[in-house]
């Protein structure tokens, strides 16, 4: 089976927004509360908010292969 569907990974969520139009392209449980994968990410997010400000947006490139959404790390 697909790694994205493996139950051991728990429940994930994703929201993809077109920055030019602000149109939501993908929203899978984007509004659902979630536990962070690690507390280090919380510290990183707080540091980024402090250094860059709340209006800063960071890009994550993603592309679609058929029906599958593929993030590009």
């Amino acid at each position: 089976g697909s790694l994205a569907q493996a139950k051991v990974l728990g429940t994930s969520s994703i929201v993809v927004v077109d920055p030019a139009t602000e149109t939501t392209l993908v929203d899978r449980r984007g509004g659902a509360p979630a536990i962070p994968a690690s507390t280090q990410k919380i510290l990183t997010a707080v540091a980024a908010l402090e250094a860059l400000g709340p209006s800063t947006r960071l890009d994550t490139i993603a592309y679609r292969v058929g029906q599958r959404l593929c993030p590009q790390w």
Side-chain angles (χ1 to χ4, degrees):
S2 169
L3 180 59
Q5 295 176 357
K7 295 204 184 287
V8 69
L9 297 178
T11 302
S12 61
S13 59
I14 183 172
V15 176
V16 178
V17 177
D18 181 329
T21 64
E22 297 188 7
T23 301
T24 300
L25 304 175
V26 176
D27 186 343
R28 295 190 185 135
R29 297 180 40 84
I35 298 171
S38 70
T39 55
Q40 188 65 35
K41 291 178 186 174
I42 295 172
L43 297 174
T44 302
V46 169
L49 279 170
E50 179 72 24
L52 303 173
S55 62
T56 300
R57 298 291 180 257
L58 304 174
D59 295 334
T60 299
I61 298 170
Y63 59 95
R64 185 178 295 267
V65 176
Q67 294 297 313
R68 191 176 65 177
L69 183 65
C70 306
Q72 183 178 3
W73 311 108

Short mmCIF file of all heavy atoms in Angstrom, two decimals:
data_model
loop_
_atom_site.label_atom_id
_atom_site.label_comp_id
_atom_site.label_asym_id
_atom_site.label_seq_id
_atom_site.Cartn_x
_atom_site.Cartn_y
_atom_site.Cartn_z
N GLY A 1 0.81 -1.20 0.00
CA GLY A 1 0.00 0.00 0.00
C GLY A 1 0.85 1.25 0.00
O GLY A 1 2.05 1.22 0.15
N SER A 2 0.21 2.33 -0.16
CA SER A 2 0.86 3.63 -0.21
C SER A 2 1.35 4.05 1.17
O SER A 2 0.66 3.89 2.16
CB SER A 2 -0.11 4.66 -0.77
OG SER A 2 0.40 5.95 -0.60
N LEU A 3 2.53 4.63 1.23
CA LEU A 3 3.08 5.12 2.50
C LEU A 3 2.18 6.21 3.07
O LEU A 3 1.98 6.28 4.27
CB LEU A 3 4.49 5.65 2.29
CG LEU A 3 5.20 6.20 3.52
CD1 LEU A 3 5.31 5.12 4.59
CD2 LEU A 3 6.55 6.75 3.16
N ALA A 4 1.60 7.05 2.20
CA ALA A 4 0.73 8.13 2.65
C ALA A 4 -0.53 7.59 3.33
O ALA A 4 -1.14 8.29 4.14
CB ALA A 4 0.34 9.02 1.49
N GLN A 5 -0.92 6.36 3.03
CA GLN A 5 -2.11 5.78 3.61
C GLN A 5 -1.80 4.82 4.75
O GLN A 5 -2.71 4.24 5.33
CB GLN A 5 -2.93 5.07 2.53
CG GLN A 5 -3.46 6.04 1.50
CD GLN A 5 -4.19 5.34 0.37
OE1 GLN A 5 -4.25 4.12 0.31
NE2 GLN A 5 -4.73 6.12 -0.54
N ALA A 6 -0.53 4.67 5.10
CA ALA A 6 -0.14 3.75 6.17
C ALA A 6 -0.68 4.25 7.51
O ALA A 6 -0.49 5.40 7.87
CB ALA A 6 1.38 3.62 6.23
N LYS A 7 -1.37 3.41 8.23
CA LYS A 7 -1.98 3.81 9.51
C LYS A 7 -0.94 4.18 10.56
O LYS A 7 -1.21 4.96 11.44
CB LYS A 7 -2.88 2.69 10.01
CG LYS A 7 -4.06 2.45 9.10
CD LYS A 7 -5.20 1.82 9.83
CE LYS A 7 -6.34 1.48 8.91
NZ LYS A 7 -7.09 2.62 8.45
N VAL A 8 0.27 3.66 10.44
CA VAL A 8 1.31 3.95 11.41
C VAL A 8 1.68 5.44 11.39
O VAL A 8 2.17 5.99 12.37
CB VAL A 8 2.56 3.08 11.16
CG1 VAL A 8 3.27 3.48 9.88
CG2 VAL A 8 3.50 3.14 12.35
N LEU A 9 1.42 6.14 10.30
CA LEU A 9 1.75 7.55 10.20
C LEU A 9 0.71 8.44 10.87
O LEU A 9 0.92 9.63 11.01
CB LEU A 9 1.90 7.96 8.73
CG LEU A 9 3.02 7.27 7.96
CD1 LEU A 9 3.03 7.72 6.52
CD2 LEU A 9 4.36 7.55 8.62
N GLY A 10 -0.42 7.89 11.25
CA GLY A 10 -1.46 8.70 11.88
C GLY A 10 -2.23 9.49 10.83
O GLY A 10 -2.23 9.17 9.65
N THR A 11 -2.88 10.55 11.27
CA THR A 11 -3.69 11.37 10.38
C THR A 11 -2.89 12.61 9.98
O THR A 11 -2.31 13.27 10.83
CB THR A 11 -4.98 11.80 11.10
OG1 THR A 11 -5.68 10.61 11.51
CG2 THR A 11 -5.87 12.61 10.20
N SER A 12 -2.88 12.90 8.72
CA SER A 12 -2.16 14.08 8.26
C SER A 12 -3.14 15.06 7.63
O SER A 12 -4.29 14.73 7.35
CB SER A 12 -1.09 13.68 7.24
OG SER A 12 -1.69 13.07 6.12
N SER A 13 -2.67 16.28 7.43
CA SER A 13 -3.49 17.30 6.79
C SER A 13 -2.61 18.13 5.87
O SER A 13 -1.39 18.19 6.05
CB SER A 13 -4.16 18.18 7.83
OG SER A 13 -3.20 18.81 8.65
N ILE A 14 -3.25 18.77 4.89
CA ILE A 14 -2.53 19.61 3.95
C ILE A 14 -3.48 20.65 3.39
O ILE A 14 -4.66 20.39 3.19
CB ILE A 14 -1.91 18.77 2.80
CG1 ILE A 14 -1.09 19.66 1.87
CG2 ILE A 14 -2.98 18.02 2.03
CD1 ILE A 14 -0.29 18.90 0.83
N VAL A 15 -2.95 21.84 3.18
CA VAL A 15 -3.66 22.90 2.48
C VAL A 15 -2.69 23.50 1.48
O VAL A 15 -1.57 23.84 1.83
CB VAL A 15 -4.16 24.01 3.44
CG1 VAL A 15 -4.82 25.14 2.66
CG2 VAL A 15 -5.13 23.44 4.45
N VAL A 16 -3.12 23.59 0.22
CA VAL A 16 -2.30 24.19 -0.84
C VAL A 16 -3.09 25.36 -1.41
O VAL A 16 -4.22 25.19 -1.83
CB VAL A 16 -1.98 23.18 -1.96
CG1 VAL A 16 -1.18 23.84 -3.08
CG2 VAL A 16 -1.24 21.98 -1.40
N VAL A 17 -2.47 26.55 -1.39
CA VAL A 17 -3.12 27.76 -1.87
C VAL A 17 -2.28 28.37 -2.99
O VAL A 17 -1.06 28.49 -2.86
CB VAL A 17 -3.29 28.79 -0.73
CG1 VAL A 17 -3.91 30.08 -1.23
CG2 VAL A 17 -4.13 28.20 0.39
N ASP A 18 -2.93 28.75 -4.08
CA ASP A 18 -2.26 29.46 -5.18
C ASP A 18 -1.99 30.88 -4.69
O ASP A 18 -2.92 31.63 -4.41
CB ASP A 18 -3.17 29.48 -6.40
CG ASP A 18 -2.53 30.17 -7.59
OD1 ASP A 18 -1.71 31.10 -7.39
OD2 ASP A 18 -2.85 29.80 -8.72
N PRO A 19 -0.71 31.28 -4.56
CA PRO A 19 -0.41 32.60 -4.00
C PRO A 19 -0.85 33.75 -4.89
O PRO A 19 -1.12 34.84 -4.41
CB PRO A 19 1.11 32.59 -3.83
CG PRO A 19 1.59 31.55 -4.77
CD PRO A 19 0.49 30.53 -4.88
N ALA A 20 -0.96 33.52 -6.18
CA ALA A 20 -1.37 34.59 -7.10
C ALA A 20 -2.86 34.91 -6.97
O ALA A 20 -3.26 36.07 -7.03
CB ALA A 20 -1.03 34.21 -8.53
N THR A 21 -3.67 33.88 -6.79
CA THR A 21 -5.13 34.08 -6.76
C THR A 21 -5.73 33.85 -5.38
O THR A 21 -6.90 34.14 -5.16
CB THR A 21 -5.82 33.11 -7.74
OG1 THR A 21 -5.60 31.77 -7.29
CG2 THR A 21 -5.31 33.29 -9.16
N GLU A 22 -4.93 33.30 -4.45
CA GLU A 22 -5.38 32.92 -3.12
C GLU A 22 -6.50 31.87 -3.17
O GLU A 22 -7.28 31.73 -2.24
CB GLU A 22 -5.80 34.14 -2.30
CG GLU A 22 -4.64 35.08 -2.04
CD GLU A 22 -4.97 36.20 -1.09
OE1 GLU A 22 -6.07 36.21 -0.50
OE2 GLU A 22 -4.12 37.08 -0.93
N THR A 23 -6.57 31.13 -4.28
CA THR A 23 -7.53 30.05 -4.44
C THR A 23 -6.98 28.80 -3.75
O THR A 23 -5.82 28.44 -3.94
CB THR A 23 -7.76 29.74 -5.93
OG1 THR A 23 -8.23 30.92 -6.56
CG2 THR A 23 -8.74 28.62 -6.13
N THR A 24 -7.81 28.13 -2.96
CA THR A 24 -7.41 26.88 -2.32
C THR A 24 -7.46 25.78 -3.36
O THR A 24 -8.50 25.51 -3.95
CB THR A 24 -8.34 26.54 -1.14
OG1 THR A 24 -8.25 27.60 -0.19
CG2 THR A 24 -7.93 25.23 -0.48
N LEU A 25 -6.32 25.15 -3.62
CA LEU A 25 -6.22 24.08 -4.61
C LEU A 25 -6.45 22.71 -3.99
O LEU A 25 -7.04 21.85 -4.62
CB LEU A 25 -4.84 24.12 -5.28
CG LEU A 25 -4.46 25.45 -5.93
CD1 LEU A 25 -3.03 25.40 -6.44
CD2 LEU A 25 -5.43 25.80 -7.05
N VAL A 26 -5.97 22.52 -2.78
CA VAL A 26 -6.13 21.25 -2.06
C VAL A 26 -6.39 21.58 -0.60
O VAL A 26 -5.70 22.42 -0.01
CB VAL A 26 -4.87 20.36 -2.16
CG1 VAL A 26 -5.03 19.09 -1.33
CG2 VAL A 26 -4.53 20.02 -3.59
N ASP A 27 -7.38 20.95 -0.01
CA ASP A 27 -7.64 21.10 1.42
C ASP A 27 -8.09 19.76 1.96
O ASP A 27 -9.22 19.35 1.75
CB ASP A 27 -8.71 22.16 1.67
CG ASP A 27 -8.90 22.44 3.16
OD1 ASP A 27 -8.47 21.62 4.00
OD2 ASP A 27 -9.48 23.49 3.47
N ARG A 28 -7.18 19.08 2.60
CA ARG A 28 -7.49 17.79 3.23
C ARG A 28 -7.28 17.94 4.72
O ARG A 28 -6.16 17.96 5.20
CB ARG A 28 -6.58 16.69 2.67
CG ARG A 28 -6.84 16.43 1.21
CD ARG A 28 -6.12 15.19 0.73
NE ARG A 28 -6.31 15.08 -0.70
CZ ARG A 28 -5.37 14.80 -1.57
NH1 ARG A 28 -4.14 14.56 -1.15
NH2 ARG A 28 -5.63 14.73 -2.85
N ARG A 29 -8.37 18.11 5.44
CA ARG A 29 -8.36 18.28 6.89
C ARG A 29 -7.56 19.48 7.34
O ARG A 29 -6.99 19.52 8.42
CB ARG A 29 -7.83 17.01 7.58
CG ARG A 29 -8.68 15.78 7.35
CD ARG A 29 -8.15 14.53 8.04
NE ARG A 29 -7.60 14.74 9.37
CZ ARG A 29 -8.29 14.78 10.50
NH1 ARG A 29 -9.59 14.64 10.47
NH2 ARG A 29 -7.69 14.97 11.66
N GLY A 30 -7.51 20.53 6.53
CA GLY A 30 -6.74 21.72 6.85
C GLY A 30 -7.22 22.46 8.08
O GLY A 30 -6.44 23.10 8.77
N GLY A 31 -8.50 22.39 8.36
CA GLY A 31 -9.05 23.08 9.53
C GLY A 31 -9.12 22.22 10.77
O GLY A 31 -9.50 22.70 11.84
N ALA A 32 -8.74 20.96 10.65
CA ALA A 32 -8.82 20.04 11.79
C ALA A 32 -7.64 20.26 12.74
O ALA A 32 -6.51 20.43 12.30
CB ALA A 32 -8.81 18.60 11.30
N PRO A 33 -7.90 20.27 14.05
CA PRO A 33 -6.79 20.37 15.00
C PRO A 33 -5.85 19.18 14.84
O PRO A 33 -6.29 18.07 14.55
CB PRO A 33 -7.47 20.33 16.37
CG PRO A 33 -8.93 20.49 16.13
CD PRO A 33 -9.19 20.14 14.70
N ALA A 34 -4.56 19.43 15.02
CA ALA A 34 -3.57 18.36 14.87
C ALA A 34 -2.45 18.53 15.88
O ALA A 34 -2.13 19.65 16.29
CB ALA A 34 -3.00 18.36 13.46
N ILE A 35 -1.87 17.45 16.28
CA ILE A 35 -0.71 17.47 17.17
C ILE A 35 0.53 17.61 16.30
O ILE A 35 0.70 16.87 15.33
CB ILE A 35 -0.64 16.17 17.99
CG1 ILE A 35 -1.89 16.04 18.87
CG2 ILE A 35 0.63 16.11 18.83
CD1 ILE A 35 -2.03 14.70 19.55
N PRO A 36 1.42 18.56 16.60
CA PRO A 36 2.63 18.72 15.80
C PRO A 36 3.48 17.45 15.81
O PRO A 36 3.48 16.72 16.80
CB PRO A 36 3.38 19.86 16.48
CG PRO A 36 2.37 20.55 17.31
CD PRO A 36 1.33 19.53 17.68
N ALA A 37 4.20 17.23 14.73
CA ALA A 37 5.05 16.05 14.63
C ALA A 37 6.18 16.10 15.65
O ALA A 37 6.66 15.08 16.09
CB ALA A 37 5.60 15.92 13.22
N SER A 38 6.60 17.30 16.00
CA SER A 38 7.63 17.42 17.03
C SER A 38 7.57 18.80 17.66
O SER A 38 7.13 19.76 17.04
CB SER A 38 9.03 17.20 16.42
OG SER A 38 9.36 18.30 15.59
N THR A 39 8.02 18.90 18.88
CA THR A 39 8.03 20.20 19.55
C THR A 39 9.07 21.13 18.93
O THR A 39 8.94 22.35 19.02
CB THR A 39 8.30 20.04 21.05
OG1 THR A 39 9.52 19.31 21.23
CG2 THR A 39 7.17 19.31 21.73
N GLN A 40 10.08 20.58 18.29
CA GLN A 40 11.09 21.41 17.63
C GLN A 40 10.46 22.27 16.54
O GLN A 40 10.85 23.41 16.33
CB GLN A 40 12.19 20.53 17.02
CG GLN A 40 13.36 21.32 16.48
CD GLN A 40 14.12 22.05 17.57
OE1 GLN A 40 14.25 21.57 18.68
NE2 GLN A 40 14.60 23.24 17.26
N LYS A 41 9.44 21.74 15.87
CA LYS A 41 8.76 22.51 14.83
C LYS A 41 8.05 23.72 15.42
O LYS A 41 7.97 24.77 14.80
CB LYS A 41 7.78 21.63 14.06
CG LYS A 41 8.48 20.60 13.21
CD LYS A 41 7.48 19.72 12.50
CE LYS A 41 8.22 18.62 11.77
NZ LYS A 41 7.33 17.65 11.19
N ILE A 42 7.53 23.58 16.63
CA ILE A 42 6.88 24.70 17.30
C ILE A 42 7.91 25.80 17.58
O ILE A 42 7.67 26.98 17.32
CB ILE A 42 6.19 24.26 18.60
CG1 ILE A 42 5.04 23.30 18.27
CG2 ILE A 42 5.67 25.46 19.38
CD1 ILE A 42 4.42 22.65 19.48
N LEU A 43 9.07 25.42 18.09
CA LEU A 43 10.12 26.40 18.36
C LEU A 43 10.58 27.09 17.08
O LEU A 43 10.81 28.30 17.06
CB LEU A 43 11.30 25.73 19.06
CG LEU A 43 11.02 25.12 20.43
CD1 LEU A 43 12.23 24.38 20.94
CD2 LEU A 43 10.59 26.20 21.41
N THR A 44 10.72 26.32 16.01
CA THR A 44 11.12 26.88 14.72
C THR A 44 10.07 27.86 14.21
O THR A 44 10.40 28.94 13.71
CB THR A 44 11.35 25.76 13.69
OG1 THR A 44 12.35 24.87 14.21
CG2 THR A 44 11.79 26.31 12.36
N ALA A 45 8.79 27.50 14.34
CA ALA A 45 7.71 28.37 13.89
C ALA A 45 7.69 29.68 14.68
O ALA A 45 7.51 30.76 14.11
CB ALA A 45 6.38 27.65 14.01
N VAL A 46 7.88 29.60 15.99
CA VAL A 46 7.90 30.81 16.83
C VAL A 46 9.08 31.69 16.43
O VAL A 46 8.94 32.92 16.30
CB VAL A 46 7.95 30.44 18.33
CG1 VAL A 46 8.24 31.66 19.19
CG2 VAL A 46 6.65 29.79 18.74
N ALA A 47 10.25 31.10 16.22
CA ALA A 47 11.42 31.88 15.82
C ALA A 47 11.21 32.53 14.46
O ALA A 47 11.57 33.69 14.25
CB ALA A 47 12.66 30.97 15.78
N ALA A 48 10.58 31.81 13.52
CA ALA A 48 10.31 32.38 12.19
C ALA A 48 9.32 33.53 12.29
O ALA A 48 9.50 34.57 11.64
CB ALA A 48 9.78 31.29 11.26
N LEU A 49 8.27 33.37 13.10
CA LEU A 49 7.30 34.45 13.29
C LEU A 49 7.98 35.69 13.88
O LEU A 49 7.72 36.82 13.46
CB LEU A 49 6.16 34.00 14.20
CG LEU A 49 5.06 33.19 13.54
CD1 LEU A 49 4.13 32.62 14.61
CD2 LEU A 49 4.28 34.05 12.56
N GLU A 50 8.85 35.46 14.84
CA GLU A 50 9.55 36.57 15.48
C GLU A 50 10.48 37.28 14.49
O GLU A 50 10.52 38.50 14.42
CB GLU A 50 10.35 36.05 16.67
CG GLU A 50 11.15 37.10 17.40
CD GLU A 50 10.29 38.06 18.22
OE1 GLU A 50 9.17 37.68 18.60
OE2 GLU A 50 10.75 39.18 18.45
N ALA A 51 11.23 36.51 13.72
CA ALA A 51 12.23 37.09 12.81
C ALA A 51 11.61 37.64 11.52
O ALA A 51 12.04 38.68 11.03
CB ALA A 51 13.28 36.03 12.46
N LEU A 52 10.60 36.96 10.99
CA LEU A 52 10.07 37.32 9.67
C LEU A 52 8.74 38.06 9.71
O LEU A 52 8.36 38.71 8.75
CB LEU A 52 9.91 36.05 8.82
CG LEU A 52 11.18 35.22 8.64
CD1 LEU A 52 10.85 33.92 7.94
CD2 LEU A 52 12.22 36.01 7.88
N GLY A 53 8.01 37.90 10.82
CA GLY A 53 6.71 38.55 10.94
C GLY A 53 5.60 37.66 10.43
O GLY A 53 5.81 36.75 9.63
N PRO A 54 4.37 37.91 10.89
CA PRO A 54 3.23 37.03 10.56
C PRO A 54 2.75 37.13 9.12
O PRO A 54 2.03 36.25 8.66
CB PRO A 54 2.15 37.48 11.53
CG PRO A 54 2.51 38.89 11.87
CD PRO A 54 4.01 38.96 11.82
N SER A 55 3.15 38.16 8.38
CA SER A 55 2.69 38.28 6.99
C SER A 55 3.60 37.56 6.00
O SER A 55 3.27 37.46 4.82
CB SER A 55 2.54 39.74 6.59
OG SER A 55 3.79 40.39 6.65
N THR A 56 4.72 37.04 6.47
CA THR A 56 5.66 36.32 5.58
C THR A 56 5.09 34.97 5.19
O THR A 56 4.52 34.26 6.01
CB THR A 56 7.01 36.11 6.29
OG1 THR A 56 7.55 37.39 6.60
CG2 THR A 56 7.98 35.34 5.42
N ARG A 57 5.23 34.63 3.94
CA ARG A 57 4.79 33.32 3.43
C ARG A 57 6.00 32.61 2.85
O ARG A 57 6.78 33.20 2.10
CB ARG A 57 3.72 33.47 2.35
CG ARG A 57 2.45 34.15 2.84
CD ARG A 57 1.73 33.22 3.82
NE ARG A 57 0.50 33.80 4.32
CZ ARG A 57 0.36 34.33 5.52
NH1 ARG A 57 1.38 34.40 6.34
NH2 ARG A 57 -0.80 34.82 5.91
N LEU A 58 6.17 31.34 3.19
CA LEU A 58 7.26 30.52 2.67
C LEU A 58 6.69 29.54 1.66
O LEU A 58 5.67 28.92 1.91
CB LEU A 58 7.95 29.78 3.81
CG LEU A 58 8.50 30.67 4.94
CD1 LEU A 58 9.02 29.83 6.07
CD2 LEU A 58 9.55 31.61 4.41
N ASP A 59 7.34 29.41 0.53
CA ASP A 59 6.85 28.55 -0.54
C ASP A 59 7.29 27.11 -0.36
O ASP A 59 8.42 26.84 0.04
CB ASP A 59 7.38 29.02 -1.90
CG ASP A 59 6.85 30.38 -2.28
OD1 ASP A 59 5.77 30.76 -1.81
OD2 ASP A 59 7.52 31.07 -3.06
N THR A 60 6.39 26.19 -0.64
CA THR A 60 6.70 24.78 -0.77
C THR A 60 6.20 24.38 -2.15
O THR A 60 5.02 24.54 -2.45
CB THR A 60 5.99 23.92 0.30
OG1 THR A 60 6.44 24.34 1.58
CG2 THR A 60 6.29 22.45 0.10
N ILE A 61 7.08 23.91 -3.00
CA ILE A 61 6.70 23.54 -4.35
C ILE A 61 6.08 22.16 -4.33
O ILE A 61 6.59 21.23 -3.71
CB ILE A 61 7.92 23.57 -5.28
CG1 ILE A 61 8.49 25.00 -5.34
CG2 ILE A 61 7.56 23.08 -6.68
CD1 ILE A 61 9.82 25.10 -6.02
N ALA A 62 4.95 22.02 -5.02
CA ALA A 62 4.28 20.72 -5.14
C ALA A 62 3.82 20.55 -6.58
O ALA A 62 3.58 21.53 -7.28
CB ALA A 62 3.09 20.65 -4.20
N TYR A 63 3.74 19.33 -7.02
CA TYR A 63 3.25 19.05 -8.36
C TYR A 63 2.34 17.85 -8.30
O TYR A 63 2.33 17.11 -7.32
CB TYR A 63 4.40 18.84 -9.34
CG TYR A 63 5.33 17.71 -8.97
CD1 TYR A 63 5.15 16.45 -9.52
CD2 TYR A 63 6.37 17.90 -8.07
CE1 TYR A 63 5.99 15.41 -9.17
CE2 TYR A 63 7.21 16.86 -7.73
CZ TYR A 63 7.01 15.63 -8.28
OH TYR A 63 7.83 14.59 -7.93
N ARG A 64 1.55 17.66 -9.31
CA ARG A 64 0.58 16.57 -9.34
C ARG A 64 1.02 15.56 -10.40
O ARG A 64 1.35 15.92 -11.51
CB ARG A 64 -0.81 17.11 -9.66
CG ARG A 64 -1.89 16.07 -9.60
CD ARG A 64 -3.24 16.68 -9.90
NE ARG A 64 -3.64 17.63 -8.88
CZ ARG A 64 -4.37 17.33 -7.82
NH1 ARG A 64 -4.80 16.11 -7.63
NH2 ARG A 64 -4.71 18.24 -6.95
N VAL A 65 0.98 14.28 -10.03
CA VAL A 65 1.20 13.18 -10.96
C VAL A 65 -0.09 12.38 -10.98
O VAL A 65 -0.40 11.67 -10.03
CB VAL A 65 2.39 12.29 -10.53
CG1 VAL A 65 2.53 11.11 -11.47
CG2 VAL A 65 3.67 13.09 -10.45
N GLY A 66 -0.89 12.55 -12.02
CA GLY A 66 -2.21 11.94 -12.05
C GLY A 66 -3.04 12.51 -10.93
O GLY A 66 -3.21 13.72 -10.82
N GLN A 67 -3.55 11.67 -10.06
CA GLN A 67 -4.35 12.11 -8.92
C GLN A 67 -3.51 12.30 -7.66
O GLN A 67 -4.03 12.68 -6.62
CB GLN A 67 -5.47 11.09 -8.65
CG GLN A 67 -6.50 11.02 -9.75
CD GLN A 67 -7.23 12.35 -9.90
OE1 GLN A 67 -7.68 12.95 -8.94
NE2 GLN A 67 -7.36 12.81 -11.14
N ARG A 68 -2.21 12.05 -7.74
CA ARG A 68 -1.34 12.11 -6.56
C ARG A 68 -0.63 13.46 -6.45
O ARG A 68 -0.05 13.95 -7.40
CB ARG A 68 -0.30 11.00 -6.66
CG ARG A 68 0.49 10.78 -5.40
CD ARG A 68 1.42 9.63 -5.56
NE ARG A 68 2.40 10.00 -6.59
CZ ARG A 68 3.41 9.24 -6.94
NH1 ARG A 68 3.57 8.06 -6.41
NH2 ARG A 68 4.26 9.64 -7.86
N LEU A 69 -0.71 14.10 -5.29
CA LEU A 69 -0.03 15.36 -5.03
C LEU A 69 1.36 15.03 -4.47
O LEU A 69 1.49 14.27 -3.53
CB LEU A 69 -0.81 16.18 -4.02
CG LEU A 69 -0.25 17.55 -3.72
CD1 LEU A 69 -0.30 18.44 -4.96
CD2 LEU A 69 -1.02 18.19 -2.59
N CYS A 70 2.40 15.61 -5.07
CA CYS A 70 3.77 15.28 -4.69
C CYS A 70 4.51 16.55 -4.26
O CYS A 70 4.81 17.40 -5.09
CB CYS A 70 4.52 14.68 -5.88
SG CYS A 70 3.70 13.25 -6.60
N PRO A 71 4.80 16.71 -2.96
CA PRO A 71 5.59 17.88 -2.54
C PRO A 71 7.03 17.71 -3.01
O PRO A 71 7.53 16.60 -3.15
CB PRO A 71 5.50 17.84 -1.02
CG PRO A 71 5.14 16.44 -0.68
CD PRO A 71 4.41 15.87 -1.85
N GLN A 72 7.68 18.82 -3.29
CA GLN A 72 9.08 18.79 -3.70
C GLN A 72 9.89 19.38 -2.57
O GLN A 72 9.81 20.56 -2.27
CB GLN A 72 9.28 19.61 -4.97
CG GLN A 72 10.68 19.56 -5.49
CD GLN A 72 10.82 20.34 -6.78
OE1 GLN A 72 9.87 20.96 -7.24
NE2 GLN A 72 11.98 20.29 -7.37
N TRP A 73 10.65 18.57 -1.86
CA TRP A 73 11.43 19.03 -0.71
C TRP A 73 12.69 19.57 -1.24
O TRP A 73 13.52 20.10 -0.94
CB TRP A 73 11.65 17.91 0.28
CG TRP A 73 10.41 17.17 0.61
CD1 TRP A 73 10.08 15.91 0.23
CD2 TRP A 73 9.28 17.64 1.37
NE1 TRP A 73 8.84 15.56 0.70
CE2 TRP A 73 8.33 16.61 1.41
CE3 TRP A 73 8.99 18.83 1.99
CZ2 TRP A 73 7.12 16.73 2.05
CZ3 TRP A 73 7.78 18.95 2.64
CH2 TRP A 73 6.86 17.91 2.67
#
